[in-house]
Amino acid sequence: MSSTGQWLTPEEKQNVLRWLQQFRFSSPIRKLSRDLSDGVLVAEMLHQIFPRLVELHNYTKGFAPSRKLDNWDTLNRKVFKKLEIELTPDVLQAIVGQQDGAVEAVLMEIMIKVQRIMANQ
């Protein structure tokens, strides 16, 4: 996703949605593109997987695009870099702008990376 910009097939999207069901979130997810656009729930999810890697106090809920971008930039620098995931500015803009399929594609990339890490432990 970070370099290809391709969105997911319906089957891939279903896999991501099933994977998300295992996590506890501070607020319900009703619409992925909207509810995950500020990055806070993604940080919560990653904190559950890698508690030492994600410090939740670094992420603040918000509606302003600048707040959302700040959260995603923090994820990019502090978390994704260590997971060898790089989100381009275009991808970040698509997520913050709630473009259909953008956040799902990033979640798929995270899911694949997490599964690989867990398989190698």
Side-chain angles (χ1 to χ4, degrees):
M1 171 60 210
S2 57
S3 57
T4 63
Q6 296 176 342
W7 301 147
L8 305 180
T9 66
E11 296 81 27
E12 290 170 328
K13 188 174 179 178
Q14 280 303 114
N15 286 339
V16 168
L17 293 174
R18 276 194 294 276
W19 184 66
L20 281 179
Q21 291 175 350
Q22 69 181 302
F23 300 103
R24 295 175 319 279
F25 296 102
S26 62
S27 59
I29 298 174
R30 292 187 179 93
K31 183 176 181 191
L32 280 180
S33 61
R34 180 194 63 221
D35 297 334
L36 275 61
S37 68
D38 67 4
V40 172
L41 297 182
V42 174
E44 288 180 11
M45 175 191 74
L46 288 167
H47 179 74
Q48 291 174 45
I49 302 167
F50 307 110
R52 293 183 181 162
L53 190 59
V54 181
E55 298 175 14
L56 292 176
H57 66 84
N58 288 329
Y59 306 93
T60 308
K61 287 194 174 283
F63 298 104
S66 60
R67 163 60 35 220
K68 294 177 182 185
L69 280 173
D70 186 50
N71 285 339
W72 281 100
D73 183 57
T74 302
L75 280 169
N76 225 6
R77 286 183 295 107
K78 294 186 175 226
V79 180
F80 294 153
K81 184 176 182 178
K82 293 176 183 169
L83 297 176
E84 298 178 357
I85 296 172
E86 182 182 347
L87 303 183
T88 64
D90 289 345
V91 172
L92 296 178
Q93 287 293 335
I95 294 168
V96 169
Q98 302 178 26
Q99 186 177 18
D100 265 353
V103 78
E104 291 93 333
V106 170
L107 290 171
M108 177 71 139
E109 190 168 344
I110 294 168
M111 181 182 78
I112 290 168
K113 186 63 75 169
V114 166
Q115 289 172 342
R116 286 184 185 149
I117 290 168
M118 297 303 183
N120 291 325
Q121 286 184 350

